[in-house]
Amino acid sequence: MSDTPKHNGKAAPAQVTYANMLFYGCWSGLGIMAVTYILYVTGILTPHVPLEKVPLLWSQPVGTYLELGKVPHGWGWTVLIGKGDFLNFLGIVLLAGMTILCYIPLIPAFLKRGEKGFALMALAEIIVLLVAASGIVGGGAH
């Protein structure tokens, strides 16, 4: 006989929670991106960078685009969230943050099952991703 644990073929409740959150979160992010894109291209929300300037600015190096478009870097875009061309970042942020959001309910689930090591790893993963997204370590485009 083998010493490996037997599986009944069913996913653990924590796995189901993670998968469900990821499924609905990703579809929500894509939906938000579609709606905010429509708001942008129809002109319902005024863009920060006028639509007619976008082709000219996109052909420039990113530094020139940021300077001529008066676009803040890093998380500075949040002050422009009411503009049509920056509102669509909400969907992108949701998609990018889904791993963090999905790890949160894993911590109490692991603790409930007495798996403190896994709970600690999930917490560490959340902290690492939040620090990376913050830009405070200076390793990204922030």
Side-chain angles (χ1 to χ4, degrees):
M1 274 189 88
S2 172
D3 289 335
T4 58
K6 294 186 180 193
H7 298 283
N8 61 7
K10 292 185 179 181
Q15 292 172 317
V16 173
T17 299
Y18 184 98
N20 284 336
M21 287 183 68
L22 191 60
F23 178 81
Y24 292 110
C26 287
W27 279 109
S28 297
L30 291 172
I32 290 168
M33 288 173 57
V35 169
T36 56
Y37 179 73
I38 290 168
L39 293 173
Y40 168 56
V41 297
T42 59
I44 292 172
L45 286 178
T46 307
H48 175 70
V49 177
L51 203 51
E52 59 274 0
K53 283 189 175 181
V54 170
L56 171 70
L57 294 177
W58 272 4
S59 64
Q60 304 299 315
V62 70
T64 306
Y65 171 81
L66 294 174
E67 182 182 333
L68 294 177
K70 296 178 180 58
V71 176
H73 2 117
W75 285 93
W77 65 268
T78 58
V79 299
L80 300 172
I81 199 69
K83 298 292 186 175
D85 48 348
F86 284 89
L87 184 62
N88 64 4
F89 283 22
L90 290 178
I92 296 168
V93 168
L94 178 59
L95 289 172
M98 279 314 301
T99 299
I100 296 169
L101 295 174
C102 290
Y103 267 95
I104 292 170
L106 295 181
I107 296 170
F110 287 140
L111 290 173
K112 184 178 178 182
R113 292 177 39 192
E115 296 174 326
K116 293 178 185 173
F118 284 127
L120 186 59
M121 283 191 283
L123 179 62
E125 181 74 21
I126 292 168
I127 292 168
V128 166
L129 291 171
L130 287 173
V131 169
S134 73
I136 61 174
V137 292
H142 299 283

mmCIF file of all heavy atoms in Angstrom, residues 3 21-22 24 30 49 52 74 93 98 118-119 132 138:
data_model
loop_
_atom_site.group_PDB
_atom_site.id
_atom_site.type_symbol
_atom_site.label_atom_id
_atom_site.label_comp_id
_atom_site.label_asym_id
_atom_site.label_seq_id
_atom_site.Cartn_x
_atom_site.Cartn_y
_atom_site.Cartn_z
ATOM 1 N N ASP A 3 1.723 5.217 0.864
ATOM 2 C CA ASP A 3 1.518 6.155 1.965
ATOM 3 C C ASP A 3 0.919 7.479 1.504
ATOM 4 O O ASP A 3 0.697 8.374 2.302
ATOM 5 C CB ASP A 3 2.842 6.448 2.678
ATOM 6 C CG ASP A 3 3.331 5.252 3.479
ATOM 7 O OD1 ASP A 3 2.485 4.426 3.879
ATOM 8 O OD2 ASP A 3 4.552 5.160 3.702
ATOM 9 N N MET A 21 -14.325 32.774 -7.158
ATOM 10 C CA MET A 21 -13.966 34.195 -7.106
ATOM 11 C C MET A 21 -13.201 34.605 -8.356
ATOM 12 O O MET A 21 -13.450 35.663 -8.927
ATOM 13 C CB MET A 21 -13.128 34.486 -5.861
ATOM 14 C CG MET A 21 -13.902 34.470 -4.578
ATOM 15 S SD MET A 21 -12.862 34.904 -3.161
ATOM 16 C CE MET A 21 -12.529 36.637 -3.502
ATOM 17 N N LEU A 22 -12.284 33.766 -8.796
ATOM 18 C CA LEU A 22 -11.505 34.061 -9.992
ATOM 19 C C LEU A 22 -12.395 34.120 -11.227
ATOM 20 O O LEU A 22 -12.286 35.040 -12.043
ATOM 21 C CB LEU A 22 -10.408 33.010 -10.162
ATOM 22 C CG LEU A 22 -9.340 33.285 -11.203
ATOM 23 C CD1 LEU A 22 -8.599 34.575 -10.885
ATOM 24 C CD2 LEU A 22 -8.359 32.123 -11.257
ATOM 25 N N TYR A 24 -15.766 34.719 -11.473
ATOM 26 C CA TYR A 24 -16.651 35.887 -11.488
ATOM 27 C C TYR A 24 -15.871 37.199 -11.519
ATOM 28 O O TYR A 24 -16.296 38.169 -12.148
ATOM 29 C CB TYR A 24 -17.620 35.848 -10.306
ATOM 30 C CG TYR A 24 -18.622 34.733 -10.441
ATOM 31 C CD1 TYR A 24 -18.583 33.627 -9.603
ATOM 32 C CD2 TYR A 24 -19.592 34.770 -11.435
ATOM 33 C CE1 TYR A 24 -19.484 32.588 -9.750
ATOM 34 C CE2 TYR A 24 -20.501 33.738 -11.590
ATOM 35 C CZ TYR A 24 -20.449 32.649 -10.742
ATOM 36 O OH TYR A 24 -21.343 31.624 -10.901
ATOM 37 N N LEU A 30 -13.627 41.994 -17.210
ATOM 38 C CA LEU A 30 -13.822 42.134 -18.657
ATOM 39 C C LEU A 30 -15.074 42.937 -18.974
ATOM 40 O O LEU A 30 -15.086 43.754 -19.903
ATOM 41 C CB LEU A 30 -13.889 40.747 -19.305
ATOM 42 C CG LEU A 30 -12.581 39.962 -19.305
ATOM 43 C CD1 LEU A 30 -12.813 38.536 -19.789
ATOM 44 C CD2 LEU A 30 -11.531 40.649 -20.147
ATOM 45 N N VAL A 49 -6.731 62.739 -22.482
ATOM 46 C CA VAL A 49 -5.991 62.995 -23.721
ATOM 47 C C VAL A 49 -7.015 62.953 -24.852
ATOM 48 O O VAL A 49 -7.658 61.925 -25.071
ATOM 49 C CB VAL A 49 -4.901 61.913 -23.953
ATOM 50 C CG1 VAL A 49 -4.184 62.143 -25.276
ATOM 51 C CG2 VAL A 49 -3.905 61.896 -22.793
ATOM 52 N N GLU A 52 -8.275 62.717 -30.763
ATOM 53 C CA GLU A 52 -7.542 63.049 -31.989
ATOM 54 C C GLU A 52 -6.030 63.147 -31.762
ATOM 55 O O GLU A 52 -5.250 63.054 -32.708
ATOM 56 C CB GLU A 52 -8.072 64.331 -32.634
ATOM 57 C CG GLU A 52 -8.003 65.577 -31.776
ATOM 58 C CD GLU A 52 -9.199 65.761 -30.857
ATOM 59 O OE1 GLU A 52 -10.117 64.932 -30.847
ATOM 60 O OE2 GLU A 52 -9.208 66.771 -30.134
ATOM 61 N N GLY A 74 2.828 55.813 -12.580
ATOM 62 C CA GLY A 74 2.491 55.002 -11.410
ATOM 63 C C GLY A 74 1.000 55.033 -11.129
ATOM 64 O O GLY A 74 0.175 55.001 -12.026
ATOM 65 N N VAL A 93 -7.354 46.923 -13.265
ATOM 66 C CA VAL A 93 -6.945 46.766 -11.866
ATOM 67 C C VAL A 93 -7.653 45.568 -11.231
ATOM 68 O O VAL A 93 -7.034 44.797 -10.487
ATOM 69 C CB VAL A 93 -7.209 48.060 -11.065
ATOM 70 C CG1 VAL A 93 -7.066 47.832 -9.574
ATOM 71 C CG2 VAL A 93 -6.263 49.158 -11.524
ATOM 72 N N MET A 98 -7.027 40.162 -8.966
ATOM 73 C CA MET A 98 -7.836 38.996 -8.625
ATOM 74 C C MET A 98 -7.070 37.970 -7.795
ATOM 75 O O MET A 98 -7.643 37.352 -6.905
ATOM 76 C CB MET A 98 -8.401 38.332 -9.887
ATOM 77 C CG MET A 98 -9.633 39.002 -10.444
ATOM 78 S SD MET A 98 -10.909 39.416 -9.244
ATOM 79 C CE MET A 98 -11.304 37.845 -8.538
ATOM 80 N N PHE A 118 0.127 26.938 5.473
ATOM 81 C CA PHE A 118 -0.528 27.392 4.246
ATOM 82 C C PHE A 118 -1.150 28.779 4.430
ATOM 83 O O PHE A 118 -1.108 29.616 3.521
ATOM 84 C CB PHE A 118 -1.597 26.403 3.794
ATOM 85 C CG PHE A 118 -1.033 25.164 3.153
ATOM 86 C CD1 PHE A 118 -1.409 23.914 3.604
ATOM 87 C CD2 PHE A 118 -0.133 25.246 2.103
ATOM 88 C CE1 PHE A 118 -0.900 22.767 3.021
ATOM 89 C CE2 PHE A 118 0.384 24.113 1.511
ATOM 90 C CZ PHE A 118 0.003 22.854 1.970
ATOM 91 N N ALA A 119 -1.721 29.029 5.609
ATOM 92 C CA ALA A 119 -2.296 30.346 5.886
ATOM 93 C C ALA A 119 -1.205 31.406 5.845
ATOM 94 O O ALA A 119 -1.402 32.489 5.277
ATOM 95 C CB ALA A 119 -2.997 30.348 7.243
ATOM 96 N N ALA A 132 4.603 44.699 -4.473
ATOM 97 C CA ALA A 132 4.989 44.813 -5.886
ATOM 98 C C ALA A 132 4.076 45.791 -6.632
ATOM 99 O O ALA A 132 4.558 46.602 -7.423
ATOM 100 C CB ALA A 132 4.942 43.435 -6.550
ATOM 101 N N GLY A 138 10.482 50.134 -6.432
ATOM 102 C CA GLY A 138 11.108 50.787 -7.577
ATOM 103 C C GLY A 138 11.567 49.866 -8.666
ATOM 104 O O GLY A 138 12.380 50.244 -9.481
#
